[in-house]
Amino acid sequence: MSPAPEYASAPAPAAPPAHSPLSSAYSPGEVLSLISSGAAATRADIARLTGLARSTVSQRVDALVAHGFLDEDNADGGSTGGRPPRRLRLRTREHAVAGVDLGASHCRVALLDIGGEMLALREDPLSIADGPQAVLGHVERTLDGLLAEAGRERHGLRSIGVGVPGPVEFSTGRPVDPPIMPGWHQYPIPEFFASRYGARALVDNDVNVMALAEQRRAFPDTRYLLYLKVGTGIGCGIVADGRLHRGAQGSAGDIGHIRVGELDDPCRCGNSGCLEAVAGGAALARRLADLGLDASSGSDVVRLVQSGNRDAVRMVREAGRAVGEVLAGLVNFFNPDAVVLGGALAAVHDQLLAGVREAVYRRSHPLATHVLRIEPSRTGENAAAVGAGILAIEHALSPEQVDRALAGAAR
């Protein structure tokens, strides 16, 4: 599984791969996707789904087994008589990926096997403002520790996903003018990991990988989903037809800087009246501090709400209405099946969701909200680390990457 020279957004694992009409037969990578998605479990399944001859199926499967992608055993495969079919499954023993969640003040690193099972996880306090060398050095030490803890080797690490709290040009994996990440502009994060692990690193905005985790793990049957992270800042991850939608350059979903009403609260972006400046956790904390309350962050806002402070409860509900005003336009425009709220303020989702739902259902078209669900996140605080790991898995198992690895091994 050698690293690929370019980034690729792999297909959603819940569906079989789209087969190119330009190809005369399914490639080994496409066959592997049928197995990893659960669409096929035996050679007979593959033949039935693809129309390939049995000899061609055997050729594809034998190559995948020989190169360590698949295991094949004699477990019951639903035979109705005679010798039971041999079942195919991903070979996970030697293959692992890492998911890295870099927040403003924390670092979570998850080690998963190629089938998505969590092998080890660690969280540490860490300031993103310490700069790339210090932060990524910490990630490297943590990842080495997790590999040792799980009994895995460095050379078995196939891909690394990284979520960062700022804008990312996904095609290069480099942050672009991230407001809370001094020293990170255009820093070559993928090259840092490639030089140490020989593995491809895919870097994305943290809310994108959160959206991926939510859709894959909690809403697998939902093809159109918006994930709103409401914390210090506000961002939106977009899943369209089962795929992350990043836009032309990777900045899709930056809703925190949409103007809200006639308010003129100054925003860190240099404008005023932005949603983040009105409804973000840092903005609410400042207003509560102005009232004499002990609040300096979104987590303090959550603490005050949970303790029953009426000013905090009122402000969070008002923040929900402001988020809902922006979200109503997104619902009309995008028509999602589900909207999921995550981030620090989602811990008080009763108050936040009440304001969001009030605005969305008042301002959105009835057809757009007919089956719409607006719910709190189900993936919790590990969403970004798990989502980054899923990003890495889908890259490592993409047909292009698998076919490239087999072609390289054949040379």
Coordinates of all heavy atoms in Angstrom, one line a residue, residues 209-257:
V209 N -14.3 16.8 9.1 CA -14.1 15.4 9.6 C -15.1 15.0 10.7 O -15.5 13.8 10.8 CB -12.6 15.1 10.1 CG1 -11.6 15.3 8.9 CG2 -12.2 16.1 11.2
M210 N -15.6 16.0 11.4 CA -16.7 15.7 12.3 C -17.9 15.3 11.6 O -18.6 14.4 12.0 CB -17.0 17.0 13.2 CG -15.9 17.3 14.2 SD -16.3 18.9 15.1 CE -14.9 19.0 16.2
A211 N -18.2 16.0 10.5 CA -19.4 15.7 9.7 C -19.2 14.3 9.1 O -20.2 13.5 9.0 CB -19.5 16.7 8.5
L212 N -18.0 13.9 8.7 CA -17.8 12.6 8.1 C -18.1 11.5 9.2 O -18.7 10.5 8.9 CB -16.4 12.5 7.6 CG -16.0 11.2 6.8 CD1 -16.8 11.1 5.6 CD2 -14.5 11.2 6.6
A213 N -17.6 11.7 10.4 CA -17.8 10.8 11.5 C -19.3 10.6 11.8 O -19.8 9.5 12.0 CB -17.0 11.2 12.7
E214 N -20.0 11.7 11.8 CA -21.4 11.7 12.2 C -22.2 11.0 11.1 O -23.0 10.1 11.5 CB -21.9 13.1 12.3 CG -23.2 13.3 13.1 CD -23.0 13.1 14.6 OE1 -21.9 13.5 15.1 OE2 -23.9 12.6 15.2
Q215 N -21.9 11.2 9.9 CA -22.7 10.6 8.8 C -22.3 9.1 8.7 O -23.2 8.3 8.6 CB -22.4 11.3 7.5 CG -23.4 10.9 6.3 CD -22.9 9.6 5.6 OE1 -21.7 9.3 5.5 NE2 -23.9 8.9 5.0
R216 N -21.1 8.8 8.8 CA -20.7 7.4 8.7 C -21.1 6.5 9.9 O -21.5 5.4 9.7 CB -19.2 7.2 8.5 CG -18.6 7.9 7.2 CD -19.1 7.2 5.9 NE -18.3 7.6 4.8 CZ -18.7 8.6 3.9 NH1 -19.9 9.2 4.0 NH2 -17.9 8.9 2.9
R217 N -21.0 7.1 11.1 CA -21.2 6.3 12.3 C -22.6 6.4 12.8 O -23.1 5.4 13.4 CB -20.2 6.7 13.4 CG -18.7 6.3 13.0 CD -18.5 4.8 13.0 NE -17.2 4.4 12.6 CZ -16.2 4.2 13.4 NH1 -16.3 4.5 14.7 NH2 -15.0 3.8 12.9
A218 N -23.2 7.6 12.8 CA -24.5 7.8 13.4 C -25.7 7.9 12.4 O -26.8 7.6 12.8 CB -24.4 9.1 14.3
F219 N -25.4 8.4 11.2 CA -26.5 8.6 10.2 C -26.1 7.9 8.9 O -26.1 8.6 7.9 CB -26.8 10.1 10.0 CG -27.3 10.8 11.2 CD1 -26.4 11.3 12.2 CD2 -28.7 10.9 11.4 CE1 -26.9 12.0 13.3 CE2 -29.2 11.6 12.5 CZ -28.3 12.1 13.4
P220 N -25.8 6.6 8.9 CA -25.3 6.0 7.7 C -26.3 6.0 6.5 O -25.9 5.8 5.4 CB -25.0 4.5 8.1 CG -25.8 4.3 9.3 CD -25.9 5.6 10.0
D221 N -27.6 6.1 6.8 CA -28.6 6.0 5.8 C -29.0 7.5 5.3 O -29.8 7.6 4.4 CB -29.9 5.3 6.2 CG -29.6 3.9 6.5 OD1 -28.8 3.3 5.8 OD2 -30.2 3.3 7.5
T222 N -28.3 8.5 5.9 CA -28.6 9.9 5.5 C -27.6 10.3 4.5 O -26.4 10.4 4.8 CB -28.6 10.8 6.8 OG1 -29.6 10.3 7.7 CG2 -28.8 12.2 6.4
R223 N -28.0 10.7 3.3 CA -27.1 11.1 2.3 C -26.8 12.6 2.2 O -25.8 13.0 1.7 CB -27.7 10.6 0.9 CG -28.0 9.2 0.8 CD -26.9 8.2 1.0 NE -25.9 8.3 -0.1 CZ -24.8 7.7 -0.2 NH1 -24.4 7.0 0.9 NH2 -24.0 7.7 -1.2
Y224 N -27.7 13.4 2.8 CA -27.5 14.8 2.8 C -27.6 15.3 4.2 O -28.7 15.3 4.8 CB -28.6 15.5 1.9 CG -28.5 15.1 0.5 CD1 -29.1 14.0 0.0 CD2 -27.7 15.9 -0.4 CE1 -28.9 13.6 -1.4 CE2 -27.6 15.5 -1.7 CZ -28.2 14.4 -2.2 OH -28.0 14.0 -3.5
L225 N -26.5 15.8 4.7 CA -26.4 16.1 6.1 C -25.5 17.4 6.3 O -24.5 17.6 5.6 CB -25.7 15.0 6.9 CG -25.5 15.1 8.4 CD1 -25.7 13.8 9.1 CD2 -24.0 15.6 8.7
L226 N -26.0 18.2 7.2 CA -25.2 19.4 7.6 C -24.8 19.2 9.1 O -25.6 18.9 9.9 CB -26.0 20.7 7.5 CG -26.5 21.1 6.1 CD1 -27.3 22.4 6.2 CD2 -25.3 21.3 5.2
Y227 N -23.5 19.4 9.4 CA -23.0 19.3 10.7 C -22.5 20.7 11.2 O -21.6 21.2 10.6 CB -21.8 18.3 10.8 CG -21.3 18.1 12.2 CD1 -21.7 17.0 13.0 CD2 -20.4 19.0 12.7 CE1 -21.2 16.8 14.3 CE2 -19.9 18.8 14.0 CZ -20.3 17.7 14.8 OH -19.8 17.6 16.1
L228 N -23.2 21.2 12.2 CA -22.8 22.5 12.7 C -22.0 22.4 14.0 O -22.4 21.8 14.9 CB -24.0 23.4 13.0 CG -24.5 24.3 11.8 CD1 -25.1 23.4 10.7 CD2 -25.6 25.3 12.3
K229 N -20.8 22.9 13.9 CA -20.0 23.0 15.1 C -20.1 24.4 15.7 O -19.8 25.4 15.1 CB -18.5 22.7 14.8 CG -17.6 22.8 16.0 CD -16.1 22.8 15.6 CE -15.2 23.1 16.8 NZ -13.8 23.2 16.4
V230 N -20.7 24.4 16.9 CA -20.9 25.6 17.6 C -20.1 25.6 18.9 O -20.5 25.0 19.9 CB -22.4 25.8 18.0 CG1 -22.7 27.2 18.6 CG2 -23.3 25.6 16.7
G231 N -18.9 26.2 18.8 CA -18.0 26.3 19.9 C -17.5 27.7 20.0 O -18.2 28.7 20.0
T232 N -16.2 27.8 20.2 CA -15.6 29.2 20.2 C -15.9 29.9 18.9 O -16.3 31.1 18.9 CB -14.0 29.1 20.3 OG1 -13.7 28.4 21.5 CG2 -13.4 30.4 20.3
G233 N -15.8 29.2 17.8 CA -16.3 29.7 16.5 C -17.4 28.8 16.0 O -17.9 27.9 16.7
I234 N -17.9 29.1 14.8 CA -19.0 28.3 14.2 C -18.6 28.0 12.8 O -18.2 28.8 12.0 CB -20.3 29.2 14.2 CG1 -20.7 29.5 15.7 CG2 -21.4 28.5 13.5 CD1 -21.9 30.5 15.8
G235 N -18.8 26.7 12.5 CA -18.5 26.2 11.1 C -19.5 25.1 10.8 O -20.3 24.6 11.6
C236 N -19.5 24.7 9.5 CA -20.5 23.8 9.0 C -19.8 22.8 8.1 O -19.1 23.2 7.1 CB -21.6 24.5 8.3 SG -22.9 23.4 7.6
G237 N -20.0 21.5 8.3 CA -19.5 20.4 7.5 C -20.7 20.0 6.6 O -21.8 19.8 7.1
I238 N -20.5 19.7 5.3 CA -21.5 19.4 4.4 C -21.3 18.0 3.8 O -20.2 17.8 3.2 CB -21.6 20.5 3.2 CG1 -21.7 21.9 3.8 CG2 -22.7 20.2 2.2 CD1 -21.4 23.0 2.8
V239 N -22.2 17.1 3.9 CA -22.2 15.8 3.3 C -23.3 15.8 2.2 O -24.5 16.0 2.5 CB -22.4 14.7 4.3 CG1 -22.4 13.4 3.6 CG2 -21.3 14.7 5.3
A240 N -22.9 15.7 1.0 CA -23.9 15.7 -0.2 C -23.8 14.4 -0.9 O -22.7 14.0 -1.4 CB -23.5 16.9 -1.1
D241 N -24.9 13.7 -1.0 CA -24.9 12.3 -1.6 C -23.8 11.4 -1.0 O -23.2 10.6 -1.7 CB -24.8 12.4 -3.1 CG -25.2 11.2 -3.8 OD1 -26.0 10.4 -3.2 OD2 -24.8 10.9 -5.0
G242 N -23.7 11.5 0.3 CA -22.7 10.6 1.0 C -21.3 11.0 0.9 O -20.4 10.4 1.5
R243 N -21.0 12.1 0.3 CA -19.6 12.6 0.2 C -19.4 14.0 0.8 O -20.3 14.8 0.8 CB -19.1 12.7 -1.3 CG -19.0 11.4 -2.1 CD -18.8 11.7 -3.5 NE -18.6 10.5 -4.3 CZ -17.4 10.0 -4.6 NH1 -16.3 10.5 -4.1 NH2 -17.3 8.9 -5.3
L244 N -18.2 14.2 1.4 CA -17.9 15.5 1.9 C -17.9 16.5 0.7 O -17.3 16.2 -0.3 CB -16.6 15.6 2.6 CG -16.6 15.1 4.1 CD1 -15.1 15.1 4.6 CD2 -17.4 16.1 4.9
H245 N -18.5 17.7 0.9 CA -18.5 18.7 -0.1 C -17.6 19.8 0.5 O -17.9 20.4 1.5 CB -19.9 19.2 -0.4 CG -19.9 20.4 -1.3 ND1 -19.6 20.3 -2.6 CD2 -20.1 21.7 -1.0 CE1 -19.6 21.6 -3.2 NE2 -19.9 22.4 -2.2
R246 N -16.5 20.1 -0.2 CA -15.5 21.1 0.3 C -15.5 22.4 -0.6 O -14.9 23.3 -0.2 CB -14.1 20.5 0.2 CG -14.0 19.2 1.1 CD -12.6 18.7 1.1 NE -12.4 17.6 2.0 CZ -12.6 16.3 1.7 NH1 -13.0 16.0 0.4 NH2 -12.4 15.4 2.5
G247 N -16.2 22.4 -1.7 CA -16.1 23.5 -2.6 C -14.9 23.5 -3.5 O -14.1 22.5 -3.5
A248 N -14.7 24.5 -4.2 CA -13.6 24.6 -5.2 C -12.2 24.6 -4.6 O -11.3 23.9 -5.1 CB -13.8 25.8 -6.1
Q249 N -12.1 25.3 -3.4 CA -10.8 25.4 -2.8 C -10.7 24.8 -1.4 O -9.7 24.8 -0.8 CB -10.3 26.9 -2.7 CG -10.3 27.6 -4.1 CD -9.3 26.9 -5.0 OE1 -8.3 26.4 -4.6 NE2 -9.6 27.0 -6.3
G250 N -11.9 24.4 -0.9 CA -11.9 23.8 0.5 C -12.5 24.6 1.5 O -12.5 24.3 2.7
S251 N -13.1 25.8 1.2 CA -13.7 26.7 2.2 C -15.2 26.6 2.3 O -15.8 27.4 3.0 CB -13.3 28.1 1.8 OG -13.9 28.5 0.6
A252 N -15.8 25.6 1.7 CA -17.3 25.5 1.8 C -17.6 25.2 3.3 O -16.9 24.5 4.0 CB -17.8 24.3 1.0
G253 N -18.7 25.9 3.7 CA -19.2 25.7 5.0 C -18.8 26.7 6.1 O -19.1 26.6 7.2
D254 N -18.0 27.7 5.6 CA -17.5 28.7 6.5 C -18.7 29.7 6.9 O -18.6 30.9 6.4 CB -16.3 29.5 6.0 CG -15.6 30.3 7.0 OD1 -16.0 30.3 8.2 OD2 -14.7 31.1 6.6
I255 N -19.7 29.2 7.6 CA -20.9 30.1 7.9 C -20.7 31.0 9.0 O -21.5 31.9 9.2 CB -22.1 29.2 8.1 CG1 -21.9 28.4 9.5 CG2 -22.3 28.2 7.0 CD1 -23.2 27.7 9.9
G256 N -19.6 30.9 9.8 CA -19.4 31.7 10.9 C -19.2 33.2 10.6 O -19.4 34.0 11.5
H257 N -19.0 33.5 9.3 CA -18.8 34.9 8.9 C -19.8 35.4 8.0 O -19.6 36.4 7.3 CB -17.4 35.0 8.4 CG -16.3 34.6 9.3 ND1 -16.0 35.4 10.4 CD2 -15.5 33.5 9.4 CE1 -15.1 34.7 11.1 NE2 -14.8 33.6 10.5

